[in-house]
Amino acid sequence: MKKILICMGSSCFARENRENLIIIEGFLRTHGISDSVHIEGSLCMGNCAVGPNITINGTEYHEVSSETLPSILKKELLEL
C-alpha cells in the first residue's frame, strides 16, 4: 500500500495543505486508487520554512502547491 503523509501543522495547513488534501482525495477517487493509498496527517514535519510539505512513499516534497501537486501524484502513484 502506498502512503501519503501530509503536514497539517498550522503553517503548512494555512499555506495550502488544506486545499492540497482536497486535491489528493479527488485524485485518488478519479483514478480509482483510494483503496490502495493510505493518507495520514502529521501535526508538524519540522520543515515549516519550506512548506507546505507532503511525503509520498518516503519521498519528501516541499513548497507543494495546487499547481505542482497533480504531477507529483501522477509520478508517485500512477507511473511505474
Side-chain angles (χ1 to χ4, degrees), residues 2 74-80:
K2 297 183 179 193
K74 182 179 177 187
K75 174 186 166 201
E76 289 288 341
L77 304 177
L78 299 180
E79 295 178 3
L80 299 175

Side-chain angles (χ1 to χ4, degrees), residues 19-62:
E19 293 81 7
N20 285 341
L21 178 58
I22 294 167
I23 291 169
I24 291 168
E25 291 172 335
F27 183 91
L28 298 180
R29 276 192 309 274
T30 299
H31 291 90
I33 56 173
S34 296
D35 292 341
S36 62
V37 179
H38 175 74
I39 303 173
E40 187 176 314
S42 172
L43 290 179
C44 181
M45 296 169 79
N47 292 310
C48 302
V50 292
N53 301 294
I54 294 176
T55 301
I56 304 176
N57 302 322
T59 301
E60 293 183 10
Y61 292 93
H62 307 288

